[in-house]
Amino acid sequence: MATSRKGTGRTPKRRAPNLTPDLVSEIVGLIHQWRGRLTWPALIEAIEQAKHVTYTRQALAKHSAISRAYDSYKELPSAGAPARKRRGESAVVDLVLEEIDKEKAEVLRLKSENERLLGQFVRWAYNASQRGLAEDYLNRPLPEAPRKRERDLQRVK
């Protein structure tokens, strides 16, 4: 831990804890719920307010789930666009339109995730075929959990 400079009167900043899978999921959720213009400084500030820790852009971008969520949000057609204001419409209509926008964003995010997973499947299938693994071998059922097999053997004895 660094020491403070003599005479500055400042205490050193503590290092933020490592990003855990749970925290990464929470940050991804924060991005999915984001409304308005998303920037790295704004995201860092929102994380600091929610979790009372500060991470750098580089630390956040190092995690692929956070980077994908950030990039997919930035690719949305309505990302950063100001909220639509319509004269003469009720608050209920505004809420419904906002909910529709959220659902459209979720559909786009899921389509993007589906494309990524399909690409991963194609890559795995190619690599498996290069290793000589046949489709029937890859489609074999998973073995039973060891505990269940042990219980079954004990019953037989």
Side-chain angles (χ1 to χ4, degrees), residues 2-91:
T3 58
S4 64
R5 291 185 182 186
K6 200 171 195 177
T8 61
R10 291 190 292 163
T11 58
K13 269 193 167 183
R14 291 186 57 199
R15 182 183 169 280
N18 290 342
L19 285 165
T20 62
D22 290 338
L23 188 54
V24 168
S25 295
E26 289 180 37
I27 293 170
V28 168
L30 184 66
I31 293 170
H32 290 159
Q33 296 171 356
W34 195 274
R35 296 293 161 244
R37 184 167 180 249
L38 176 63
T39 62
W40 285 110
L43 178 61
I44 290 167
E45 186 177 322
I47 294 168
E48 184 175 9
Q49 288 176 357
K51 298 294 175 187
H52 307 292
V53 291
T54 303
Y55 293 100
T56 62
R57 177 193 60 79
Q58 292 83 357
L60 295 173
K62 194 184 302 184
H63 292 269
S64 61
I66 295 174
S67 291
R68 279 195 312 268
Y70 184 88
D71 292 341
S72 68
Y73 182 87
K74 295 298 258 184
E75 290 172 3
L76 291 175
S78 62
R84 292 179 274 178
K85 288 290 180 188
R86 295 175 176 86
R87 285 191 308 192
E89 293 186 13
S90 69

Side-chain angles (χ1 to χ4, degrees), residues 100-156:
I100 289 171
D101 288 344
K102 286 180 188 177
E103 296 299 327
K104 284 180 181 178
E106 180 71 5
V107 166
L108 288 174
R109 184 188 68 78
L110 290 172
K111 283 182 177 180
S112 172
E113 181 72 7
N114 191 37
E115 283 181 29
R116 186 186 68 78
L117 290 172
L118 286 173
Q120 183 178 17
F121 175 76
V122 168
R123 192 170 48 255
W124 285 357
Y126 173 80
N127 289 335
S129 70
Q130 293 300 307
R131 294 282 183 177
L133 300 175
E135 185 177 344
D136 54 331
Y137 176 80
L138 294 172
N139 285 328
R140 289 186 347 198
L142 293 173
E144 291 182 13
R147 286 183 236 128
K148 185 174 183 200
R149 275 189 277 162
E150 290 172 7
R151 262 189 277 133
D152 292 344
L153 288 174
Q154 289 175 354
R155 288 183 192 159
V156 173

